[in-house]
Amino acid sequence: MNDVERFLAHAVQLEREAARRYEELAAAMQTLGNRTLHEFFSRMAHYSRLHLAQARARAGFRELPALAADEYEWPDGISPEIADWAGVDALMDARAALLLALDGERRGHAYYATMAATTGDAELRAIANEFASEEAEHVAELEKLVAACPA
Ligand code: ZN
């Protein structure tokens, strides 16, 4: 992909889906009575919305294209609409919730890293690298939480 606006439209969609998933996970943890993870997932939802706003701001004066569902081009398995996420249910335990969140962050990281590695556009590469390193931090944070959460 070499079109920055098109890339940012994908980033906005990816972050929007991430925020929704985190809100679902936060709700599930509230049902479970896990206050720590409820707060953590709520905070991650907030970060996703910030990231979404940041992606929009990156477009500056440029108009982001409004893409129809079938106009997005996601590399294999990266689609934020991926079926895994239909699996968020109110009875999921803390570890399952963290693993789902980790999976989502890994997909986000893979998407941005792939875009950075494959684009011929220097601006797109710079933004994608920046987003990829934020996702890498999220992945690391979740890996720590998973490791601390007994099976
Ligand atoms: Zn993230």
Side-chain angles (χ1 to χ4, degrees):
M1 193 180 293
N2 292 313
D3 180 322
V4 175
E5 287 77 29
R6 224 178 141 70
F7 164 70
L8 288 170
H10 282 72
V12 164
Q13 175 68 2
L14 203 139
E15 296 303 328
R16 188 185 290 133
E17 291 297 325
R20 273 194 209 131
R21 289 190 304 255
Y22 274 124
E23 279 154 10
E24 278 183 49
L25 288 168
M29 291 304 98
Q30 191 165 37
T31 304
L32 200 68
N34 189 325
R35 207 171 146 179
T36 308
L37 279 188
H38 169 71
E39 278 163 15
F40 172 73
F41 288 135
S42 300
R43 186 157 50 87
M44 294 305 281
H46 174 70
Y47 284 147
S48 294
R49 299 223 178 266
L50 280 183
H51 204 179
L52 200 163
Q54 191 190 344
R56 283 218 182 89
R58 276 312 185 95
F61 61 91
R62 295 168 296 193
E63 198 73 29
L64 289 187
L67 300 177
D70 62 351
E71 288 176 313
Y72 287 96
E73 304 159 55
W74 302 106
D76 277 0
I78 307 288
S79 167
E81 270 96 14
I82 205 87
D84 302 9
W85 286 104
V88 178
D89 75 73
L91 298 176
M92 127 185 318
D93 68 15
R95 189 178 169 85
L98 286 168
L99 287 171
L100 261 181
L102 176 57
D103 189 55
E105 292 295 345
R106 281 184 175 147
R107 286 176 201 285
H109 176 262
Y111 176 70
Y112 294 130
T114 300
M115 289 302 107
T118 57
T119 187
D121 184 281
E123 185 190 7
L124 197 160
R125 188 180 313 118
I127 301 173
N129 269 325
E130 201 181 299
F131 288 2
S133 56
E134 286 185 34
E135 297 306 321
E137 282 173 32
H138 296 165
V139 168
E141 195 172 356
L142 275 156
E143 280 173 344
K144 250 188 251 165
L145 288 168
V146 168
C149 187

